[in-house]
Amino acid sequence: MFGETGAQDPAAAARARMVAEVDAMYAETSSETGLRAMSPAVRSAMGKVERHRLVAAGEASRAYRNHPLPIGNGQTISQPYIVALSADLLGVDKNSVVLEVGTGSGYQAAVLAEVASKVYSIELIESLGRAAAKRLEELGYGNIEVRIGDGYAGWPERAPFDGIVVTAAAPHVPQALIDQLKAGGRMVIPVGGEGEIQYLKLLTKRADGGVDEKRVLPVRFVPLVPGK
């Protein structure tokens, strides 16, 4: 359905429609999230990242619908609204270094790479991680580094981080991720065990090492699986 990027980008109109749908959802959920609209940086990123090149060929025609899509191995590419919201809640900028737990298709990493200086991304499933790293390289994202590993452990060699976003639901917030967050840094993470209601949470690390936690809104994510 969509070809390579060029002067006549056939996906541009579809992305614009998706951005409008995300804008509408921001307005609808503003009482829960505290955000009435996307920040200019995140809005620009959502209008630029080529989601159709980060999904399987069979899903490309649905790439710009505002809902999750399967990417294989029981995993999904997150709903564009949630991707935008997570980036906005982090509050990062072009000086920020971000950790993403759960590379998946690479879509969230690409959006973060548009608004932050550097993105480190961890994926437990090797085939997904390798494929995402290849696609992100092809798209020119030189500021993203992908690693195969256990997301619960974070990436201590690259810590501390200005922001951490987790793209799968954990039954609790991993302490290792809190430890790797800078004072004043933020973490966006879906929390909820099997059979429980999941909530997207925003954590802000205090100077004393503790965290302030805010429940943002109910969500549904695949589980964050620990490494063996």
Side-chain angles (χ1 to χ4, degrees):
M1 179 180 179
F2 303 117
E4 296 297 311
T5 302
Q8 300 298 321
D9 180 1
R15 276 198 300 277
R17 288 192 295 271
M18 180 194 75
V19 169
E21 290 179 20
V22 172
D23 265 333
M25 285 202 72
Y26 264 68
E28 291 169 8
T29 59
S30 61
S31 62
E32 296 169 282
T33 66
L35 299 174
R36 295 186 60 83
M38 282 181 277
S39 65
V42 169
R43 169 180 259 278
S44 174
M46 296 297 289
K48 178 180 178 183
V49 175
E50 298 175 272
R51 195 174 190 242
H52 68 281
R53 295 181 63 186
L54 292 166
V55 299
E59 299 290 345
S61 64
R62 302 195 296 159
Y64 296 107
R65 297 180 185 178
N66 187 29
H67 56 63
L69 293 172
I71 58 173
N73 294 279
Q75 305 300 299
T76 59
I77 181 173
S78 294
Q79 178 188 20
Y81 162 72
I82 291 293
V83 170
L85 179 64
S86 296
D88 264 330
L89 289 171
L90 281 186
V92 295
D93 59 27
K94 281 297 186 181
N95 296 311
S96 302
V97 177
V98 178
L99 173 67
E100 177 194 35
V101 176
T103 312
S105 69
Y107 181 56
Q108 178 82 73
V111 170
L112 290 169
E114 294 286 348
V115 299
S117 172
K118 180 76 177 184
V119 178
Y120 293 98
S121 185
I122 305 172
E123 175 56 56
L124 180 65
I125 302 171
E126 185 170 1
S127 60
L128 286 181
R130 300 296 181 207
K134 182 175 184 294
R135 287 192 295 264
L136 290 166
E137 183 179 4
E138 290 170 351
L139 287 169
Y141 287 104
N143 61 335
I144 300 174
E145 187 174 337
V146 178
R147 169 183 178 176
I148 308 303
D150 182 359
Y152 279 89
W155 199 329
E157 299 87 350
R158 296 290 186 263
F161 301 102
D162 299 290
I164 297 175
V165 62
V166 183
T167 64
H172 58 83
V173 180
Q175 184 60 45
L177 299 184
I178 295 173
D179 293 342
Q180 291 169 39
L181 198 59
K182 283 183 182 178
R186 296 180 178 183
M187 184 192 314
V188 177
I189 177 172
V191 179
E194 186 176 354
E196 298 178 345
I197 297 174
Q198 298 174 4
Y199 287 94
L200 193 68
K201 293 188 175 184
L202 173 62
L203 281 68
T204 305
K205 191 169 184 179
R206 301 192 302 266
D208 64 5
V211 292
D212 295 321
E213 183 176 307
K214 176 187 176 184
R215 180 186 288 182
V216 181
L217 77 173
V219 290
R220 182 179 295 178
F221 279 79
V222 297
L224 182 65
V225 178
K228 295 181 180 177

